[in-house]
Amino acid sequence: MYCPYSNRLLPSLPCFFPLHNTLNPSSTIRPLHPLEDDLKSKIQVMTGGSNAVDATTLSCAKCGKPAHLQCPKCVELKLPREGAAFCTQDCFKASWSSHKSVHSKSISSSAPVNPGEQNVASPNDGLLYCLRKGQARSPKLPHFEWTGSLRPYPISKRRPIPAHINQPDWALDGIPKIEPNSHLQYHVEIKAPDQIEKMRETCRIAREVLDAAACVIRPGITTDEIDAVVHEATIAAGGYPSPLNYHFFPKSCCTSVNEVICHGIPDARKLEDGDIVNVDVTVHYKGVHGDLNETFFVGNVDEASQRLVQCTYECLEKAIAVVKPGVRFREIGDIINRHASMSGFSVVKSIYGHGIGELFHCAPNIPHYARNKAVGVMKAGQTFTIEPMINAGVWRDRMWPDGWTFVTADGKCSAQFEHTLLVTDTGVEVLTARLPTSPNVFPWLNP
């Protein structure tokens, strides 16, 4: 998780539920552009009967604008209207390559479609959409010009923390008190030996928690279920999940799927075959934090996504390899940028690595892009994260209306890896390094 004080403030999120109006299957419109044959060349107009609801309360699955049209195949399969509604033939055509997978999954499934499992907020189940950086909830998804096919889903209630767990100062009211005004926002701390030992212990716990999450990742699991694993594993180890209620973040970890760059909020969406998902874990234990993340494959992932994830892993490894006393912090970005560009990818510029210890985020700032203006040199005893975010397309990002979720501006995939590092007298110690027991999930690490 990057430092919220070092770059830009985080802005607020959207929401919605489906229409329950009647449809007239015989009412169709002529396509504005020729579509593939299996689209049936038309989508159906949402027309109301006596119990109709204003169709503008349903959003286009492509662009988020008010929708008046619906996929005929989804009508035939009696699938929920959210995700099947479109404002124009153009949006329908642009979404078809990804949208049609909904049909095959529905047909192949022997279980009936359960509307409660779709992208529908259910106040009775405590499932609502996140708004205003976690400070509000709503049953409705607001309009937004989504950059890709992913949409936010409802989130569950905040998970409880047992009374015996030592909690950071934001745990109760969502507001860090010590961190924003600390002199360590401007001065890079040299850790004392006892602090370093606590960091080692905490970072090992964080690694074990992330490994527990990695073991459950598969098609069909929700990111909220992954969050539950992270939460319970952290509590079981005696730690506090640092992201929970940090500046009102509503969950215990970040789960960033496909075009989400970072800070994705775990929700009710089920991971699909071919997705990539980053899980970002930070643990607070014995008064210090340990932070790491990895991007995982969900089922069978296409070659382009595999190359992106492997390149991102390599960017982090190459950056770590140069860490030692005397190296300038700004050199990290040059190394990462060079490897990413040679592979045809771009480096996110909005979000940095950060110092870490008794504070979740502090100096130094670690930009990951070339020709940055980071100040300072590395010294033994410093601890910080390097966490490159590499995009398949352009480097620019946008913020979802939840105020947390950064996504790629062009809707293409993004990947990230992160470690917490200690500068030693002779080089670097990776405090969150993989363990012999870590799951074997990255093909390029196999001999």
Side-chain angles (χ1 to χ4, degrees):
M1 211 167 179
Y2 91 110
C3 177
Y5 316 110
S6 65
N7 197 9
R8 71 187 195 196
L9 297 177
L10 303 169
S12 107
L13 169 123
C15 321
F16 90 94
F17 44 61
L19 284 175
H20 296 288
N21 63 324
T22 59
L23 297 177
N24 180 357
S26 64
S27 180
T28 60
I29 66 171
R30 186 178 181 83
L32 300 177
H33 295 281
L35 307 178
E36 297 179 40
D37 289 342
D38 55 347
L39 269 90
K40 310 290 187 191
S41 296
K42 17 184 109 133
I43 55 180
Q44 294 180 318
V45 180
M46 295 183 194
T47 57
S50 58
N51 62 337
V53 178
D54 184 0
T56 60
T57 59
L58 191 60
S59 301
C60 176
K62 175 63 178 174
C63 68
K65 294 179 180 177
H68 302 273
L69 310 169
Q70 188 171 23
C71 170
K73 190 65 176 177
C74 289
V75 174
E76 178 185 331
L77 295 173
K78 298 183 179 179
L79 297 179
R81 296 186 184 110
E82 67 287 347
F86 299 90
C87 61
T88 65
Q89 288 280 354
D90 288 339
C91 279
F92 187 42
K93 179 179 179 180
S95 301
W96 179 247
S97 59
S98 58
H99 175 72
K100 63 184 178 182
S101 64
V102 174
H103 307 152
S104 57
K105 288 176 183 176
S106 174
I107 294 170
S108 62
S109 174
S110 58
V113 175
N114 180 0
E117 295 179 356
Q118 305 300 317
N119 192 8
V120 182
S122 175
N124 292 334
D125 295 332
L127 296 177
L128 294 168
Y129 291 93
C130 179
L131 289 167
R132 295 180 53 216
K133 281 195 65 181
Q135 298 179 69
R137 299 289 185 272
S138 171
K140 298 186 68 177
L141 181 70
H143 301 315
F144 184 72
E145 292 186 4
W146 311 101
T147 64
S149 59
L150 198 69
R151 300 289 182 273
Y153 271 56
I155 68 170
S156 59
K157 295 179 180 178
R158 196 167 82 196
R159 293 187 164 86
I161 300 292
H164 71 276
I165 298 294
N166 181 33
Q167 302 182 26
D169 64 4
W170 58 81
L172 296 180
D173 63 5
I175 303 172
K177 286 80 174 174
I178 299 172
E179 183 176 281
N181 302 311
S182 170
H183 72 286
L184 296 180
Q185 296 302 335
Y186 313 99
H187 171 74
V188 184
E189 181 181 33
I190 305 296
K191 300 291 191 298
D194 64 320
Q195 289 177 300
I196 291 172
E197 281 308 310
K198 290 178 183 178
M199 290 285 291
R200 286 194 179 105
E201 191 174 359
T202 301
C203 286
R204 182 184 176 95
I205 291 172
R207 160 53 65 183
E208 291 171 344
V209 169
L210 180 61
D211 288 349
C215 289
V216 302
I217 291 174
R218 65 183 186 281
I221 193 170
T222 67
T223 49
D224 186 65
E225 290 171 318
I226 295 171
D227 182 77
V229 170
V230 168
H231 186 89
E232 295 304 324
T234 302
I235 297 302
Y240 179 93
S242 305
L244 186 62
N245 212 29
Y246 178 73
H247 292 284
F248 307 102
F249 188 81
K251 291 296 174 180
S252 297
C253 69
C254 302
T255 53
S256 302
V257 180
N258 297 342
E259 68 262 30
V260 177
I261 296 171
C262 67
H263 299 170
I265 300 174
D267 60 24
R269 179 187 181 271
K270 294 181 179 180
L271 293 178
E272 299 178 359
D273 188 66
D275 285 344
I276 59 173
V277 58
N278 177 275
V279 181
D280 193 338
V281 167
T282 311
V283 170
H284 178 258
Y285 181 72
K286 293 188 175 179
V288 298
H289 301 269
D291 189 3
L292 78 162
N293 73 57
E294 291 178 341
T295 301
F296 303 101
F297 300 133
V298 182
N300 300 307
V301 175
D302 62 46
E303 185 178 342
S305 295
Q306 291 181 43
R307 287 193 298 104
L308 173 65
V309 173
Q310 182 172 350
C311 175
T312 308
Y313 182 94
E314 292 167 351
C315 284
L316 177 57
E317 291 297 299
K318 289 178 180 294
I320 291 172
V322 304
V323 173
K324 63 181 179 182
V327 173
R328 293 175 296 183
F329 291 120
R330 68 187 185 202
E331 293 179 36
I332 295 298
D334 295 331
I335 292 164
I336 290 170
N337 204 95
R338 186 180 308 117
H339 187 65
S341 347
M342 288 176 62
S343 304
F345 302 125
S346 64
V347 181
V348 173
K349 298 183 180 181
S350 316
I351 308 160
Y352 303 165
H354 54 90
I356 189 169
E358 293 178 0
L359 301 182
F360 191 174
H361 299 101
C362 55
N365 295 328
I366 312 289
H368 305 110
Y369 57 92
R371 296 185 295 280
N372 65 76
K373 300 186 184 303
V375 297
V377 298
M378 300 176 192
K379 298 178 182 179
Q382 294 172 342
T383 55
F384 52 83
T385 71
I386 301 178
E387 45 185 299
M389 287 140 276
I390 308 300
N391 293 352
V394 299
W395 64 265
R396 297 185 183 276
D397 61 81
R398 291 191 64 191
M399 175 75 76
W400 272 6
D402 60 7
W404 280 108
T405 306
F406 286 88
V407 294
T408 57
D410 57 8
K412 294 184 179 180
C413 284
S414 182
Q416 183 186 17
F417 284 86
E418 174 186 22
H419 277 305
T420 295
L421 309 172
L422 166 69
V423 182
T424 66
D425 291 330
T426 57
V428 61
E429 179 181 343
V430 182
L431 298 178
T432 49
R434 292 176 61 81
L435 304 170
T437 55
S438 295
N440 182 18
V441 293
F442 302 119
W444 58 85
L445 295 182
N446 295 330

